[in-house]
Amino acid sequence: MTNQTTPNEVKLPLIRTGLIALVICVVIAFAGGMIAQQRGGVMSDGLWSMLATIPGVLIPMGILLMMPAKNAPEWSVPVLAGTMIRALTVLTIGVAIYMIASPDRVVFFLTMLTALMITLTIDVASVLSLIQKHTPGMTPAVDAEGIS
């Protein structure tokens, strides 16, 4: 059985967005470590968040990579589900790390929250960009209303 797609079906650019999200998680964890050091803690207080956020990026990305091509607007629900999976994964791993390693609570949870918020922004931007590029007949509002 062959997997044929219609011309309007596209794959989500997951490799690019996933790599950006992973880099963001590492940068935020490093910044959290620097903030922890300034607060009198150790660098690892911020870096622990990287152990929670990296699997949170990789798991939904792997699930979305296995999905077949879809029409651009249809990607919004799977990406939203992936974001919820990411949040639950990060929270679960984060609480386990907090209970075992006891990093600085404020730095640890704020770095995880920041990483989640930025990766959510990346997800939304990627879906909106995909919809804008691949939806036929989309015209700017100015053209649609006849305003010159």
Side-chain angles (χ1 to χ4, degrees):
M1 186 170 153
T2 60
N3 186 12
Q4 295 179 349
T5 61
T6 63
N8 293 336
E9 291 182 343
V10 293
K11 290 289 280 181
L12 197 61
L14 286 169
I15 302 299
R16 179 183 51 183
T17 57
L19 287 176
I20 292 170
L22 288 173
V23 168
I24 291 296
C25 290
V26 171
V27 168
I28 289 171
F30 181 74
M34 298 298 286
I35 292 169
Q37 280 184 330
Q38 290 178 348
R39 292 173 46 106
V42 294
M43 183 72 162
S44 64
D45 285 349
L47 296 179
W48 281 114
S49 66
M50 190 168 46
L51 289 177
T53 56
I54 298 294
V57 170
L58 293 177
I59 291 171
M61 189 172 78
I63 293 169
L64 290 172
L65 273 172
M66 291 186 287
M67 296 185 74
K70 301 178 176 297
N71 290 327
E74 293 175 7
W75 278 108
S76 57
V77 173
V79 169
L80 177 63
T83 300
M84 291 189 301
I85 291 168
R86 175 181 301 124
L88 289 173
T89 302
V90 169
L91 179 63
T92 303
I93 296 171
V95 168
I97 290 171
Y98 181 73
M99 292 174 76
I100 293 169
S102 299
D104 181 14
R105 180 182 57 202
V106 174
V107 172
F108 178 68
F109 284 109
L110 284 180
T111 53
M112 284 192 329
L113 178 63
T114 304
L116 284 172
M117 293 302 294
I118 292 175
T119 55
L120 171 64
T121 304
I122 292 167
D123 288 345
V124 170
S126 69
V127 170
L128 289 177
S129 173
L130 193 69
I131 290 171
Q132 184 179 18
K133 288 179 185 175
H134 296 287
T135 302
M138 283 194 66
T139 58
V142 173
D143 294 339
E145 296 176 9
I147 300 171
S148 51

